[in-house]
Amino acid sequence: MKIYPVILSGGAGTRLWPLSRAVLPKQLLPLVTDKTMLQDTVLRVAGWPELMAPLVVCGNEHRFLVAEQLREIGVTPLGILLEPVGRNTAPAVAAAANYLRAIDPDALMLVLPADHVIDKNLPFAEAVAQAATLVAGGALATFGIVPQAPETGYGYIHRGAPAAGASGAYQVDRFVEKPDRASAEGFVADGGYYWNSGMFLFRAEGYLRELGEFAPAIAVAAEAAVRLGYRDLDFCRLDEAAFASCPSDSIDYAVMERTRHAVVVPADIGWSDVGSWSALWQVQQGRGADAQGNVQRGDVYLDGVSNSLVRAESRIVAVVGVADLVVVETPDAVLVAHKDQVQRVKQIVEHLKLKERTEHLHHTKVYRPWGYYEGIDAGERFQVKRITVKPGEKLSLQMHHHRAEHWVVVSGTARVTCGDKVSLLSENESTYIPIGMNHRLENPGKLPLHIIEVQSGSYLGEDDIVRFEDIYQRA
C-alpha cells in the first residue's frame, strides 16, 4: 500500500507570539531543533520505505517559504497546494484527497499537522503500520496519544470496543471537547481516554465518501477547487471562488465524530502540539534544560532563575531572581508572562489587530522569494531598510506612486534598471529612484547582494507597488 503524507501547514500560531506571526508562523520557525517544525515533520517520515513524497497544503502567502524550506532539506514534494483562504482542516484535507485520488485511486493519506513534535519515531511508525491494516479494511483511523497528565488544553477520544483486524486498536466511542481539570483527571484515571492528536490515516476515496455523506457542501466545493485549480510555477493553486465558498469545519466535526468507521490507535510517541510557550518549555525539558529547569536560547543571562523559558532574538536578555516565567524578545516586541497564563497571549494578538498595528503580522525581517528585507529605522515621511538579494535572483519590475528610493550597495554587485537605463553598481556606489519611475533590482553575481534602501515620501506602505513583470508571478 502506498501511503502519501499530507502535511497541513496552515495557521498563524498566535499563542506563540511574538515569535510566531501571520507571515512567519510557528510551523516555519526553528522552535525545537535547528530545523523548522515543517522540516522536522517532513524528515520524520522521509525515510519510511512505504511512504511517498509529501503533499503540502499551505496558505498562498507562505508558498515560497515552504518551497525553500523543503529545498533546504533536499525533499521534492509531490505537490504544494495553495489555499486562497483558510477554511480549517476538513476542506484542506478534502482538497488533498481529490488531488491524490486523481494520481492514485487507492491512495492512503497520512494527515500530519506541520507543527507537532514527535520524539519517538519508531513507535510512531509502528502505530502508522497498525492503522494501515485497519484502513485496508475500510476504517478511518486517528491516533490517540496515551496521556501523560490530566491536560486541559487538549481534546480527548474515548475508546469503544476493540477494533477488528488489529490488536490494541479500538472503535471510537466519542470525541470529548477540552475538559476542565476534574474531568481531565477522571479521564486519565479511567485509562480509556486518549489525547486527540489531530493526525489521521485513511483512504482518500474513503474520506471523500464519508465527507460527501456528512458534509456535502465541503465535498462539492473542495472537488471544484481542485478541478478548477491550475499550476503556478511549482505550486497548484486551488480555485479561489470555489474554495472560498466552502464551509469552514474541522475533520473531527465534519467526519470523524459522525462516521461509523472511526477507529483510534493508541500511541505513546512523545507527542506535543506545541500549542503554547509553556508547552514548548515542557518539550524542551528533555532536550537541554539546565539544572534549574530553565530553557534558554540566544544571548541570555540568568541569575537565580528557575523553571523558566527565556529566548533572545536580537540582543542580550538578563533575567534575575524569578521563577516560572516566559520571556521572549524580538527586535520589535517583548513578551513577559507567567507560565500558567500563556494561553492569554492570544488576547495580545487580538489587541494588536483591534489597534490596527502590525506586530502580529510580520517581523522587522520579512522574507521574499528573492531574499529578505529588514526594517532598520522609520520616522515621519521616511524609512530605512536593509535588503539582501540571493545570487541570481531579482525583484519585480515595479513602480511606486508615493515614494522615492535611494539605494546604497554595501556588498556584492547590483544590476539596476531605472526607466530605460540599466547600470551595474558595486560596493559603496549608490543610485536614486524617483517617484513614479519603473525600476528593478537584480543580483547578477555569485554572492549575496546587500544594500541599504532609504525610502522617502507621503506614503511608505508595502501596498504602494505596481508590478509590471515578476518572475515569481506575484500580482
Side-chain angles (χ1 to χ4, degrees):
M1 293 182 291
K2 294 181 179 179
I3 301 176
Y4 296 81
V6 175
I7 313 298
L8 303 181
S9 186
T14 54
R15 290 183 177 86
L16 288 172
W17 184 88
L19 209 56
S20 177
R21 306 195 186 185
V23 175
L24 191 64
K26 71 170 184 172
Q27 64 269 22
L28 302 179
L29 293 169
L31 290 177
V32 179
T33 70
D34 59 349
K35 293 183 174 60
T36 69
M37 301 194 76
L38 169 65
Q39 290 173 326
D40 282 338
T41 300
V42 170
L43 289 174
R44 185 176 299 131
V45 297
W48 297 4
E50 65 272 25
L51 263 64
M52 310 303 290
L55 176 63
V56 181
V57 185
C58 69
N60 177 63
E61 67 275 18
H62 301 147
R63 64 194 187 280
F64 293 113
L65 281 170
V66 167
E68 176 66 14
Q69 291 191 5
L70 294 176
R71 187 199 63 79
E72 287 175 355
I73 59 175
V75 171
T76 301
L78 179 67
I80 300 176
L81 297 184
L82 303 182
E83 296 179 285
V85 293
R87 285 294 181 263
N88 213 321
T89 54
V93 174
N98 278 284
Y99 187 90
L100 290 174
R101 184 172 61 175
I103 298 172
D104 180 356
D106 297 322
L108 271 64
M109 307 170 58
L110 177 61
V111 179
L112 303 173
D115 55 359
H116 290 186
V117 167
I118 294 176
D119 281 331
K120 303 176 183 178
N121 206 38
L122 180 57
F124 179 46
E126 292 171 345
V128 171
Q130 184 181 19
T133 301
L134 295 164
V135 171
L140 281 69
T142 184
F143 298 92
I145 305 302
V146 177
Q148 306 300 310
E151 178 64 55
T152 59
Y154 299 142
Y156 285 71
I157 300 170
H158 184 228
R159 73 187 189 198
S167 175
Y170 302 89
Q171 298 175 17
V172 172
D173 175 59
R174 64 189 177 102
F175 287 80
V176 184
E177 295 291 338
K178 296 176 182 179
D180 58 28
R181 182 73 181 183
S183 298
E185 291 173 349
F187 294 163
V188 174
D190 180 277
Y193 289 82
Y194 306 102
W195 291 339
N196 185 356
S197 70
M199 301 186 297
F200 307 90
L201 182 71
F202 36 62
R203 287 190 185 278
E205 179 64 39
Y207 174 74
L208 292 174
R209 182 182 61 250
E210 297 297 286
L211 188 70
E213 178 178 351
F214 299 114
I218 295 177
V220 170
E223 187 278 332
V226 174
R227 175 168 43 83
L228 299 174
Y230 60 94
R231 299 294 301 182
D232 176 4
L233 300 177
D234 294 328
F235 310 105
C236 176
R237 286 188 177 275
L238 300 174
D239 182 77
E240 184 170 358
F243 200 76
S245 71
C246 188
S248 178
D249 208 349
S250 69
I251 298 177
D252 288 346
Y253 288 146
V255 173
M256 297 302 290
E257 293 187 7
R258 302 180 181 184
T259 179
R260 301 180 301 278
H261 305 293
V263 298
V264 57
V265 176
D268 184 2
I269 55 177
W271 172 90
S272 171
D273 70 348
V274 196
S276 67
W277 285 113
S278 59
L280 180 60
W281 173 82
Q282 188 69 45
V283 166
Q284 295 284 30
Q285 285 304 291
R287 297 170 176 261
D290 64 21
Q292 289 72 44
N294 298 309
V295 173
Q296 55 185 297
R297 185 160 180 166
D299 192 1
V300 172
Y301 171 82
L302 303 180
D303 181 6
V305 177
S306 62
N307 298 320
S308 295
L309 183 151
V310 183
R311 184 164 180 142
E313 296 295 312
S314 67
R315 72 199 90 176
I316 184 171
V317 172
V319 184
V320 178
V322 298
D324 300 313
L325 286 187
V326 169
V327 181
V328 181
E329 176 272 336
T330 69
D332 62 344
V334 177
L335 169 70
V336 181
H338 193 280
K339 287 212 315 291
D340 291 344
Q341 301 296 318
V342 291
Q343 294 294 341
R344 295 165 62 182
V345 169
K346 191 173 183 179
Q347 298 174 24
I348 301 173
V349 175
E350 294 303 317
H351 169 78
L352 295 172
K353 292 179 182 178
L354 184 65
K355 295 298 182 180
E356 298 184 347
R357 298 182 60 132
T358 61
E359 289 91 341
H360 65 292
L361 295 174
H362 52 74
H363 291 272
T364 55
K365 179 183 284 188
V366 179
Y367 291 91
R368 291 289 187 257
W370 43 260
Y372 63 85
Y373 68 83
E374 185 173 9
I376 299 174
D377 194 9
E380 185 68 26
R381 296 180 62 89
F382 85 93
Q383 64 180 352
V384 183
K385 294 181 177 179
R386 180 187 294 113
I387 296 177
T388 297
V389 185
K390 295 183 290 188
E393 302 294 340
K394 55 186 175 182
L395 283 67
S396 59
L397 181 64
Q398 58 186 251
M399 179 269 288
H400 309 296
H401 289 294
H402 303 288
R403 72 174 185 252
E405 296 176 343
H406 301 255
W407 295 345
V408 180
V409 177
V410 177
S411 63
T413 301
R415 179 184 290 126
V416 177
T417 299
C418 185
D420 296 329
K421 180 182 177 183
V422 179
S423 58
L424 288 177
L425 299 180
S426 298
E427 184 174 328
N428 294 324
E429 294 183 321
S430 63
T431 190
Y432 170 65
I433 310 295
I435 292 175
M437 181 68 71
N438 293 0
H439 61 279
R440 166 176 264 162
L441 176 66
E442 305 177 50
N443 180 0
K446 296 182 178 180
L447 297 175
L449 166 65
H450 299 280
I451 76 167
I452 297 298
E453 176 183 83
V454 180
Q455 301 177 357
S456 60
S458 60
Y459 179 73
L460 305 174
E462 283 300 310
D463 54 348
D464 178 23
I465 180 171
V466 178
R467 289 192 175 97
F468 302 103
E469 181 185 320
D470 184 45
I471 63 173
Y472 309 107
Q473 298 184 19
R474 296 169 295 174

